Amino acid sequence: MKNLTQLFKNNRQWASKITEVNPDFFHDLKKQQSPEYLWIGCSDSRVPANEIVGLLPGELFVHRNIANLVIHTDMNCLSVLQYAVDILKIKHVIVCGHYGCGGVKAAMESQSHGLVDNWLRHVRDTWCRNQAEIEAIPNESERNNRLCELNVLDQVINVGMTTIIQDAWRRGQKIAIHGWIYDLADGLLKDLGVCISSHEDLCVLQKEK
Ligand code: CO
């Protein structure tokens, strides 16, 4: 097995580029992190969280999984959220999906993809709940893109429904949850126009859906 030397070379270049601008960058960062944002995004290699929003190490707390899902029994995601809210005191949770998501596409297919189909069952549920709206869209990739958006909206609600966020709001901690989508075709983010920062906002969004 080769040592992936290119990656280590890249890493040295990356670190020296940063220290050229700020010689104390890593030294300062070692002491603590204080990001204001939690990013919940897709694992897709084409959606690199920090790069997309131009943030440096230390500025974005990140959780990624296939199809950017927030599942109430997923201890991994919940632990990230709890740490971000209770310890890091982040101010914004960004759920960011992306058009052309392979996970979303797979959830709409009848063929088997293995174990991952169990995970994607959650997206399929969103599809089933919105079948009439989605099926009215004539173009297949547009249908897929709409499900990508609806999936983000569902995950925004899921974040808001967690005991972590509910407790935070109850004790007056200010946290806003945003729903965004990223377009692989042009590298641009789109705000889906949902931003909830209270239990009341959450109820309104749930009723709209
Ligand atoms: Co994806």
Side-chain angles (χ1 to χ4, degrees):
M1 194 80 172
K2 291 205 173 147
N3 290 326
L4 305 179
T5 47
Q6 185 61 43
L7 300 190
F8 283 91
K9 207 175 140 205
N10 293 350
N11 167 250
R12 283 191 297 274
Q13 282 172 354
W14 171 79
S16 67
K17 216 183 276 173
I18 289 179
T19 46
E20 256 171 45
V21 180
N22 178 0
D24 296 326
F25 184 83
F26 291 108
H27 178 260
D28 293 345
L29 208 55
K30 204 178 94 178
K31 287 180 239 162
Q32 65 165 61
Q33 61 166 339
S34 53
E36 279 192 25
Y37 318 95
L38 165 62
W39 174 280
I40 299 176
C42 184
S43 299
D44 194 304
S45 63
R46 298 165 295 179
V47 194
N50 280 68
E51 283 92 327
I52 288 175
V53 285
L55 291 178
L56 288 167
E59 295 181 323
L60 190 67
F61 202 57
V62 174
H63 178 77
R64 289 169 68 181
N65 61 44
I66 294 177
N68 42 269
L69 296 173
V70 177
I71 308 305
H72 293 313
T73 50
D74 178 4
M75 290 303 287
N76 184 353
C77 182
L78 292 180
S79 300
V80 170
L81 182 65
Q82 189 260 325
Y83 189 81
V85 170
D86 294 350
I87 313 292
L88 297 174
K89 309 264 190 252
I90 50 111
K91 296 184 174 69
H92 303 271
V93 179
I94 300 158
V95 177
C96 187
H98 67 103
Y99 292 132
C101 182
V104 171
K105 190 168 167 281
M108 295 175 87
E109 291 170 353
S110 51
Q111 74 185 84
S112 164
H113 307 85
L115 174 77
V116 72
D117 287 334
N118 296 284
W119 178 250
L120 295 174
R121 184 73 223 181
H122 298 287
V123 183
R124 212 175 165 86
D125 289 345
T126 300
W127 180 28
C128 292
R129 279 197 304 274
N130 297 278
Q131 211 160 3
E133 182 196 334
I134 292 169
E135 278 176 8
I137 302 168
N139 178 294
E140 193 192 332
S141 73
E142 290 299 316
R143 278 198 295 274
N144 180 280
N145 286 348
R146 184 58 187 149
L147 184 55
C148 291
E149 293 179 350
L150 291 167
N151 180 47
V152 169
L153 299 182
D154 270 3
Q155 307 321 312
V156 167
I157 291 171
N158 286 350
V159 172
M161 290 295 288
T162 60
T163 54
I164 301 153
I165 295 290
Q166 290 283 321
D167 288 347
W169 281 337
R170 211 169 287 134
R171 62 179 178 255
Q173 194 174 334
K174 291 203 182 326
I175 299 170
I177 309 162
H178 310 261
W180 294 358
I181 198 138
Y182 174 76
D183 196 337
L184 296 174
D186 59 13
L188 296 177
L189 281 171
K190 185 168 98 181
D191 191 335
L192 289 174
V194 287
C195 173
I196 57 172
S197 49
S198 66
H199 187 71
E200 292 68 35
D201 288 351
L202 179 64
C203 293
V204 171
L205 181 61
Q206 274 181 311
K207 269 186 207 139
E208 277 172 8
K209 279 212 77 229

